[in-house]
Amino acid sequence: MQQRSAEAPFARTIEWPTLLTAVAVYGAFGLVTWYYHQLAWWLVLPLGGYIVAWHGSLQHEAVHGHPTRWRWLNEALVYPSLWLWMPFRSYRTLHLTHHRNDRLTDPLEDPESYYVTATRWAQFGPLRRAVLRANNSLLGRLVIGPWV
C-alpha cells in the first residue's frame, strides 16, 4: 500500500465526492459522445469543452493523491485521458515539477499561475479585469474557468 505525500495527508480511505465526480465526468462524456448526432453542434462544442476541462480538474486531483490513498487506483480512474494531447503520466510529472520550485505562483515564471504583474494588470481593460476577478471565485471557476 502506498502512502500519500506530506502535501496531502489522507483523512479517509475514499473521497466519495471526488469519485462521484469521476463517474459524472465520464458519464457526461459518454452521453455527449453517444448522442452527438441528435445534438446541435453549437451545444456539443461547449459541452465537450466543459467536460474535457472538468476532466483536467479531476486529473489534477489524482496527481495530488485524491480520491483514494492508492496512487495506482487514482491513476486508473483518470488514465483514459479526455485531453487527447497529453498523456496522464506526462501531465503528472510536469505538474509535480511545477510544485517543486521556488517560482510557484510567480506570474512571470509559473505557467499555471493566475497572478499577473501590476504592469500587466494596468494594461488590461475593464472586461479582462472583470473576467479575471470572476475567475477567482468558485462560481467563476465553474462557469468561465474552463474557457479562461
Side-chain angles (χ1 to χ4, degrees), residues 18 22 25-26 54-63 66-67 71-83 86-89 91-92:
T18 307
V25 166
Y26 286 111
W54 197 13
H55 182 264
S57 294
L58 185 62
Q59 283 191 326
H60 182 261
E61 292 302 308
V63 165
H66 304 280
R71 182 173 152 188
W72 66 269
L73 183 55
N74 295 339
E75 186 172 319
L77 287 171
V78 299
Y79 197 80
S81 182
L82 305 183
W83 290 7
M86 182 183 294
F88 173 72
R89 288 185 181 155
Y91 167 68
R92 182 180 188 283

Side-chain angles (χ1 to χ4, degrees), residues 108-124:
L108 299 175
E109 299 289 331
D110 183 359
E112 294 188 26
S113 177
Y114 284 104
Y115 294 106
V116 296
T117 63
T119 303
R120 217 147 149 208
W121 183 260
Q123 294 170 346
F124 293 157

Side-chain angles (χ1 to χ4, degrees), residues 24-34 48 51-52 82 84:
V25 166
Y26 286 111
F29 184 80
L31 287 171
V32 170
T33 301
W34 187 264
I51 293 164
V52 169
L82 305 183
L84 303 177

Side-chain angles (χ1 to χ4, degrees), residues 45-47 49-50 53 141-148:
L45 189 61
L47 280 175
Y50 190 88
R141 286 286 165 97
L142 292 173
V143 175
I144 65 171
W147 288 277
V148 170

